[in-house]
Amino acid sequence: MANITKISPLAPASFPDLPAIKGARFATVEAGVRYAGRTDVMLAVLDPGTTIAGVFTRSSTRAAPVLDCQTKLGGAPDQSAAILVNSGNANAFTGKHGVASVKAITQAVAQATGTPEGRVFTSSTGVIGEALPHDRVVAKLDALNSSLSETAIEAAAQAIMTTDTFAKGAKASVTIDGQTVNIAGIAKGSGMIAPDMATMLVYVFTDAVYDQGKLQTLVAGLSDKTFNCITVDSDTSTSDSLLMAATGASRVDATGNGDFADALHAVMQDLAHQVVKDGEGATKFVEIAVTGATSDKDAHTHAMAIANSPLVKTAIAGEDPNWGRVVMAVGKSGAPADRDTLSIWFGDVLVADKGWVSPDYVEADAAALMKEQDIKVTVDIGMGDGSATVWTCDLTHGYIEINADYRS
Amino acid sequence: MANITKISPLAPASFPDLPAIKGARFATVEAGVRYAGRTDVMLAVLDPGTTIAGVFTRSSTRAAPVLDCQTKLGGAPDQSAAILVNSGNANAFTGKHGVASVKAITQAVAQATGTPEGRVFTSSTGVIGEALPHDRVVAKLDALNSSLSETAIEAAAQAIMTTDTFAKGAKASVTIDGQTVNIAGIAKGSGMIAPDMATMLVYVFTDAVYDQGKLQTLVAGLSDKTFNCITVDSDTSTSDSLLMAATGASRVDATGNGDFADALHAVMQDLAHQVVKDGEGATKFVEIAVTGATSDKDAHTHAMAIANSPLVKTAIAGEDPNWGRVVMAVGKSGAPADRDTLSIWFGDVLVADKGWVSPDYVEADAAALMKEQDIKVTVDIGMGDGSATVWTCDLTHGYIEINADYRS
């Protein structure tokens, strides 16, 4: 693994002060799965009554823990639940051994925490194709269970990191009928990020009461607007997982509440943006907004084609307002476009107006904008009402450094 | 534009000694379109009777010269024909100005060479979105026309280069009924290369007689097996064009001849491989062969997903036999795959056998292979009979250097 020592220049100043979520307790440990001298396993135990929703990678080579989680969604929430995550080894493409590792871990977690095995969810992140030394995880379960704490969520965010250069957290609180409910989320992910949930693990907790089926619908819909709208390198992981747990410990029912949905959206968007801001080698945070497409889906297709274009991403790294590459990306996306109705802005600067460079365009204006850390590119297709916004980062030497030397 | 001084380490030792093609004459000139101190315009004039076929980018933001060429295919071959190409400016996304530039150039070529305007084909390659100073080209037409020569094809290959680090040529000869016909082709292209003919210009000439309609079918079919099977960075240009001219000057009819088709295939594949070998920053030439897919189309989808994956390409740059990333790319491709029937070879080394690391695999064997300049990755999906082979290069610091500083 490359030796990542430099924190992303786009990192937030500090990890947020996440609220304790009643009904959710956390613990971490150094199990030595792969890394030495750092925590690499986190356990979350959730009180009986917790409803759980999940969204997972659509890769056809999904890892064993993902397949196991998918079978467990929708179980009755009457008993406790647990989430165990290890970093360093993805337990992906490990055949029968992978399935056996998941079984060994979920059984051990169930036993240590008194949770039914059908309510034990696991994730693994790290190298693909090597057997997970699950005994190292199992050996630590009693220690984990005996150190559970409502305040250890920041430590949990640290334990799940791989090539991440900073731990990721976000929070919100909502007042419903005069009572406050809290939301706290953590995430990991820095490369192999693209729609379908890329190498990203996300865990969001709330003390609100939320109907399990409706929570699943809410979380899936918000994922499409947040985690499925980010890309670092177009690559998609075999292990991406988002789990949302509503403990209900506040006794305040948020089911169907619009303010709660907005707050959860904000938390998920914040975490998604933090993943992009930790994109391998990233020096710029880039928002791509597409309007005027023939449908929202076509707008998303155009936006992702721009966001995934190596030529667009290297131009942004070079602080070059190279709008010709944006035209190229729209042209190759496969969604309908018409060269002569296409307009492009960098920030507020109209660069291309209906198929030709704007008469008022002064390259120095756009070039100055490109020196900012946050870049916004807006494209109007000029054909319809479809729109979409996605987020990405630039493509730099740092990406090559990290990925040409990850495993050797 | 970045200052490219280093020739690709994958370049052939020298430009091939291309045969003169009777009925085809070439000239080049320094027109100062954008570059100084080098030729940047080439003219080819083809004798009456020449049949012409063409394949073009499918980008929805195609450049004006491409749109013009597409309208001209299929014209009667009784009179002479001409091909004019400039480098330095792509005349793409230039609106009405772009159309006017094409008109000005084709009219001037027609006048200077005595060719009907409907048989004058043009291509432009270089920066997008800036007006083509076509007067500079027009001013050189008489000089070009008066210096036409059957032996200037290598000079033509040089005049059309942009970020190319070497001129690209290939040849073949075929004996038909005891008589020899020759094929000679030139190409340019080094980045923005992906299916749909990316930033690639290709011109192939033969002195064989070939029925125009059947030539179009032959060339389109061979493009799908050659130029549409290469990728440097997944980006697709607005200007890609392949033109094939059969002058018929040998009076030998090659229409439907299998040896001729094989020879043309070899020339087109050689040129396609040279484009990959000049991929921006390339240090490795990579063949991806997929077998056992549910169809040839699905095999191609898997192969391109592997070939376009930044994580696979950086692993190859780092000489890391990271087959986990190959699994990841297959998983995200969208074509059917089953983790437990998937096998992967690096060169002849079986790395993964039906969903799990091969028991005989020794990483040192694969690691040694990765140090070679030519890398072959074979993936058997294990589900059907579909197969496909594509070619790409690695993703290195050189790519970032070239593309983060192309236009500023």
Side-chain angles (χ1 to χ4, degrees):
Chain A
M1 181 183 174
N3 191 11
I4 315 297
T5 50
K6 224 171 77 182
I7 291 169
S8 168
L10 308 176
S14 62
F15 191 85
D17 189 18
L18 298 186
I21 301 295
K22 275 175 284 181
R25 291 169 300 143
F26 304 88
T28 63
V29 74
E30 293 186 26
V33 171
R34 182 181 183 88
Y35 308 131
R38 54 158 281 189
T39 57
D40 57 356
V41 176
M42 83 106 178
L43 174 67
V45 176
L46 304 155
D47 282 356
T50 299
T51 54
I52 294 186
V55 180
F56 301 93
T57 180
R58 282 182 282 243
S59 168
S60 62
T61 56
R62 288 193 280 285
V66 173
L67 295 168
D68 183 65
C69 283
Q70 289 181 304
T71 67
K72 291 175 172 172
L73 284 182
D78 49 334
Q79 294 185 65
S80 64
I83 301 171
L84 184 131
V85 185
N86 76 272
S87 57
N89 183 312
N91 190 19
F93 208 62
T94 44
K96 283 177 292 186
H97 301 70
V99 175
S101 288
V102 172
K103 187 75 182 165
I105 291 173
T106 53
Q107 279 182 335
V109 170
Q111 191 166 14
T113 62
T115 299
E117 202 185 323
R119 297 262 286 163
V120 177
F121 298 85
T122 72
S123 307
S124 295
T125 178
V127 167
I128 297 177
E130 296 185 6
L132 175 65
H134 58 257
D135 289 349
R136 298 180 198 171
V137 177
V138 169
K140 297 291 184 182
L141 276 172
D142 287 337
L144 282 164
N145 191 51
S146 62
S147 63
L148 288 164
S149 152
E150 274 194 356
T151 58
I153 190 167
E154 181 173 353
Q158 289 164 344
I160 64 176
M161 290 165 65
T162 58
T163 56
D164 302 65
T165 73
F166 61 91
K168 297 164 188 71
K171 64 175 177 175
S173 62
V174 190
T175 303
I176 298 174
D177 298 334
Q179 289 185 278
T180 299
V181 297
N182 285 304
I183 303 172
I186 60 173
K188 70 79 49 181
S190 61
M192 225 197 278
I193 301 298
D196 298 348
M197 300 287 307
T199 297
M200 207 159 34
L201 299 179
V202 184
Y203 306 96
V204 184
F205 305 91
T206 180
D207 53 7
V209 173
Y210 213 105
D211 172 77
Q212 188 159 274
K214 289 178 178 156
L215 187 65
Q216 180 64 34
T217 304
L218 176 66
V219 169
L222 292 176
S223 287
D224 281 341
K225 295 182 191 172
T226 55
F227 295 106
N228 283 336
C229 288
I230 64 173
T231 179
V232 168
D233 57 11
S234 83
D235 279 334
T236 301
S237 153
T238 54
S239 305
D240 304 324
S241 304
L242 180 154
L243 288 167
M244 164 102 200
T247 67
S250 69
R251 303 188 179 229
V252 179
D253 194 342
T255 305
N257 183 283
D259 290 342
F260 183 86
D262 289 346
L264 180 59
H265 187 178
V267 166
M268 289 169 66
Q269 180 158 303
D270 187 349
L271 291 171
H273 286 188
Q274 288 187 54
V275 169
V276 169
K277 287 178 179 179
D278 207 6
E280 290 168 340
T283 69
K284 308 272 189 191
F285 179 70
V286 185
E287 178 172 308
I288 312 279
V290 172
T291 59
T294 35
S295 69
D296 287 353
K297 186 164 172 288
D298 288 337
H300 184 80
T301 299
H302 283 306
M304 290 302 291
I306 299 166
N308 279 325
S309 162
L311 287 171
V312 170
K313 293 161 83 79
T314 47
I316 291 171
E319 302 186 338
D320 177 5
N322 193 324
W323 56 276
R325 296 186 183 176
V326 176
V327 175
M328 175 280 301
V330 168
K332 76 163 179 170
S333 79
D338 179 343
R339 192 191 60 187
D340 298 330
T341 59
L342 196 60
S343 298
I344 299 170
W345 292 255
F346 283 103
D348 296 329
V349 177
L350 176 64
V351 177
D353 188 10
K354 296 189 175 60
W356 179 234
V357 65
S358 164
D360 301 328
Y361 175 56
V362 179
E363 182 159 326
D365 296 345
L369 278 169
M370 298 304 287
K371 298 199 180 302
E372 303 287 326
Q373 203 169 60
D374 285 10
I375 306 289
K376 180 166 181 180
V377 180
T378 305
V379 176
D380 189 76
I381 305 293
M383 296 179 77
D385 295 323
S387 65
T389 299
V390 307
W391 298 274
T392 189
C393 56
D394 53 348
L395 174 57
T396 70
H397 286 291
Y399 183 84
I400 309 288
E401 271 154 32
I402 293 164
N403 286 302
D405 196 32
Y406 179 83
R407 205 189 64 146
S408 294
Chain B
M1 180 181 175
N3 191 10
I4 315 296
T5 50
K6 224 170 79 183
I7 291 168
S8 168
L10 307 176
S14 61
F15 191 86
D17 190 17
L18 298 185
I21 302 295
K22 275 175 282 180
R25 292 170 299 143
F26 304 88
T28 62
V29 73
E30 294 186 24
V33 171
R34 182 180 183 90
Y35 308 131
R38 54 158 281 189
T39 57
D40 57 357
V41 176
M42 83 105 178
L43 173 68
V45 176
L46 304 155
D47 282 357
T50 299
T51 54
I52 293 185
V55 180
F56 302 93
T57 181
R58 283 183 282 244
S59 168
S60 62
T61 55
R62 288 192 280 285
V66 173
L67 295 167
D68 183 64
C69 282
Q70 289 181 304
T71 68
K72 290 175 172 173
L73 284 181
D78 49 335
Q79 294 185 66
S80 64
I83 301 171
L84 184 130
V85 185
N86 76 271
S87 57
N89 183 312
N91 191 20
F93 208 62
T94 44
K96 284 177 293 186
H97 301 71
V99 175
S101 288
V102 172
K103 187 76 182 163
I105 291 173
T106 55
Q107 278 183 337
V109 170
Q111 190 166 14
T113 62
T115 298
E117 201 185 325
R119 296 263 285 165
V120 178
F121 297 85
T122 71
S123 307
S124 295
T125 178
V127 167
I128 297 177
E130 296 185 7
L132 175 64
H134 58 257
D135 288 349
R136 298 180 198 170
V137 177
V138 168
K140 297 291 183 182
L141 276 172
D142 287 336
L144 281 164
N145 192 51
S146 63
S147 62
L148 288 163
S149 154
E150 275 194 355
T151 60
I153 190 167
E154 181 173 352
Q158 289 165 344
I160 64 176
M161 291 165 64
T162 57
T163 55
D164 302 66
T165 73
F166 62 91
K168 296 163 189 72
K171 65 176 178 175
S173 63
V174 189
T175 304
I176 298 174
D177 297 336
Q179 289 186 277
T180 299
V181 298
N182 286 303
I183 303 171
I186 59 173
K188 67 83 47 180
S190 62
M192 224 197 277
I193 301 297
D196 298 349
M197 300 287 307
T199 297
M200 206 159 35
L201 299 179
V202 184
Y203 306 96
V204 184
F205 305 90
T206 179
D207 54 6
V209 174
Y210 214 105
D211 172 80
Q212 188 160 274
K214 289 178 179 157
L215 187 64
Q216 180 65 33
T217 304
L218 176 66
V219 169
L222 293 176
S223 287
D224 281 341
K225 295 181 192 172
T226 55
F227 296 107
N228 284 336
C229 288
I230 63 172
T231 179
V232 167
D233 58 11
S234 83
D235 278 334
T236 301
S237 152
T238 54
S239 305
D240 304 325
S241 303
L242 179 154
L243 288 167
M244 164 101 200
T247 68
S250 70
R251 301 186 180 232
V252 179
D253 195 342
T255 307
N257 183 283
D259 291 342
F260 183 87
D262 289 346
L264 180 59
H265 186 177
V267 166
M268 288 169 65
Q269 180 158 303
D270 187 350
L271 291 172
H273 286 187
Q274 287 187 54
V275 169
V276 169
K277 287 177 177 177
D278 207 6
E280 291 168 341
T283 68
K284 308 272 189 192
F285 178 71
V286 185
E287 178 171 309
I288 311 280
V290 172
T291 59
T294 35
S295 69
D296 287 353
K297 186 164 172 287
D298 288 336
H300 184 81
T301 300
H302 283 306
M304 290 302 291
I306 298 165
N308 279 325
S309 161
L311 287 171
V312 170
K313 294 160 82 79
T314 47
I316 291 170
E319 301 185 339
D320 177 7
N322 192 323
W323 57 277
R325 296 184 184 178
V326 177
V327 176
M328 175 280 301
V330 168
K332 76 163 179 172
S333 78
D338 179 343
R339 191 191 61 187
D340 297 330
T341 60
L342 196 61
S343 298
I344 300 170
W345 292 255
F346 284 103
D348 296 329
V349 178
L350 176 63
V351 178
D353 188 9
K354 296 190 175 58
W356 178 234
V357 65
S358 164
D360 301 328
Y361 176 57
V362 179
E363 181 159 325
D365 296 345
L369 279 170
M370 299 303 288
K371 298 199 180 302
E372 303 288 325
Q373 203 168 59
D374 285 10
I375 305 290
K376 180 167 181 180
V377 180
T378 305
V379 176
D380 188 76
I381 305 293
M383 296 179 77
D385 295 323
S387 65
T389 300
V390 308
W391 299 275
T392 189
C393 56
D394 54 345
L395 173 58
T396 70
H397 286 291
Y399 183 84
I400 308 288
E401 271 154 30
I402 293 164
N403 287 302
D405 196 33
Y406 179 82
R407 205 189 64 147
S408 294

